Amino acid sequence: FGSGLSQRGIARSLSISCSTVCEMVYRARAAGLDLERLATLNDRQLDALIYPSASGRPQKRSLKFEYIHSELKRKGWMLSDLTTDVYNLLAPLRRFDHAFVPSHLPSSGIYFFYEKGETIRLGGLAVDRIVRVGINRSNGRFRSRIRGHYGRVSRLGGNKNGSVFRKHLGGALLRRADPADPRLTGWLQQDGPTYAEVEREVSLVLRHNLTFACVRVEDADERKNLESALIALLAQEPLGQPSPAWLGAYAASEDIRNLGLWNTQHIHSEPLTLEAFGRLSALASDWLRCQGG
């Protein structure tokens, strides 16, 4: 207690994940608990304040308030550590593909796309690399947002003017086949002409190569803030480089080619903070319980 350990040091000393430490710190702060108040509570009382709804309390977790005390005196955390912990936080979440069942997704949230053949090294293991982060702007439209990316259910096709992700993918496919393709200029224009044959090819790439995980985030401003901060973190503190065969190497956007993300907005924004990661941890934990994890 009071030793000034970093969050990673706290996690190691307690044999738990850094995301668990960060989530508990966030929940303690959200409950308005300071050091003086924490010192008067036993574990049962603290649990009741951290998880005010009995139905929302996670199973198989024994909350120890000693590490919350010391964490509130934290000295700092590296951004690259945050990137690692974002990957670890998302790892247990269910992965979906183009055949997702709408009722299995949140009505509002943030998504993380992974691409076949794109990996990073984490803890000595190859894990799938996040290649795009996004949200639904309007409340309640997360499922239709994902469907808009993948395209039609019954047959191949879609609308690149309703999905910038599809526009980026189609542009890369056209440039890979022929950088001088006359369709390219129109395709890259917002509300410009679309081409059925390109839309079909984009849908094939999405169906065969792209899967996603997601986290429920009901508040629109919170979604936007997390999206911006996560994209900035992954762009500024990546844990690996794209593979030589990555389709994004042919993207029209230099930012996509250089950063290894199918994102062009928010890449220079303020990256994820420790406090925001704590909130993301709490949201991911809640969504995992909804998924039966």
Side-chain angles (χ1 to χ4, degrees):
F1 169 70
S3 62
L5 287 175
S6 68
Q7 287 203 353
R8 193 167 296 280
I10 296 165
R12 282 196 298 266
S13 68
L14 295 172
S15 298
I16 58 177
S17 70
C18 285
S19 60
T20 298
V21 174
C22 202
E23 178 190 345
M24 294 303 102
V25 172
Y26 175 84
R27 289 185 183 273
R29 288 173 176 165
L33 299 175
D34 57 22
L35 290 174
E36 183 177 350
R37 175 66 171 141
L38 285 168
T40 68
L41 302 175
N42 60 35
D43 284 356
R44 180 175 296 180
Q45 292 169 326
L46 185 55
D47 272 1
L49 290 170
I50 294 293
Y51 298 103
S53 171
S55 61
R57 185 172 184 264
Q59 302 298 312
K60 300 180 182 178
R61 174 176 290 168
S62 177
L63 182 62
K64 302 298 182 182
F65 60 81
E66 289 85 358
Y67 66 78
I68 297 181
H69 289 178
S70 56
E71 176 47 28
L72 291 176
K73 295 187 176 181
R74 177 187 54 83
K75 291 183 176 179
W77 211 11
M78 297 289 290
L79 273 179
S80 57
D81 292 336
L82 271 176
T83 310
T84 298
D85 288 316
V86 166
Y87 272 92
N88 288 332
L89 177 68
L90 300 177
L93 296 178
R94 180 177 176 183
R95 197 79 66 84
F96 300 91
D97 61 17
H98 72 96
F100 65 88
V101 177
S103 61
H104 292 172
L105 302 184
S107 58
S108 292
I110 185 165
Y111 62 74
F112 304 84
F113 268 100
Y114 303 85
E115 192 167 349
K116 184 184 297 183
E118 294 302 309
T119 61
I120 58 168
R121 302 295 298 182
L122 199 63
L125 300 174
V127 301
D128 292 340
R129 183 172 68 83
I130 297 170
V131 297
R132 179 175 171 83
V133 177
I135 62 171
N136 59 297
R137 299 286 172 183
S138 301
N139 286 336
R141 297 189 59 82
F142 184 79
R143 298 160 187 173
S144 61
R145 183 62 175 160
I146 295 295
R147 178 48 59 201
H149 289 326
Y150 276 112
R152 302 186 184 99
V153 178
S154 58
R155 64 186 189 277
L156 295 176
N159 179 14
K160 63 91 178 176
N161 288 320
S163 166
V164 69
F165 192 13
R166 293 184 67 90
K167 183 172 71 174
H168 290 323
L169 288 166
L173 288 167
L174 288 170
R175 292 182 83 246
R176 184 174 67 177
D178 179 7
D181 192 310
R183 297 170 296 178
L184 188 59
T185 299
W187 176 271
L188 293 175
Q189 292 176 352
Q190 183 59 40
D191 299 324
T194 184
Y195 306 96
E197 67 276 13
V198 182
E199 295 282 14
R200 286 194 295 269
E201 193 172 357
V202 169
S203 290
L204 281 173
V205 169
L206 282 157
R207 291 187 179 203
H208 293 166
N209 296 343
L210 277 298
T211 59
F212 70 96
C214 57
V215 174
R216 182 175 58 197
V217 187
E218 298 289 352
D219 184 80
D221 288 337
E222 186 170 46
R223 283 197 305 276
K224 293 174 184 177
N225 290 337
L226 285 172
E227 176 196 35
S228 175
L230 282 161
I231 292 171
L233 178 70
L234 294 170
Q236 296 170 31
E237 294 291 338
L239 297 182
Q241 298 301 314
S243 72
W246 185 48
L247 177 60
Y250 298 92
S253 167
E254 184 179 3
D255 287 330
I256 291 176
R257 298 195 303 270
N258 290 340
L259 298 176
L261 294 173
W262 293 105
N263 289 99
T264 56
Q265 294 183 326
H266 310 303
I267 56 177
H268 301 299
S269 298
E270 189 71 22
L272 196 71
T273 64
L274 192 60
E275 182 178 3
F277 178 74
R279 177 56 177 160
L280 180 64
S281 298
L283 290 166
S285 178
D286 290 342
W287 179 238
L288 183 62
R289 287 195 293 276
C290 289
Q291 294 182 314

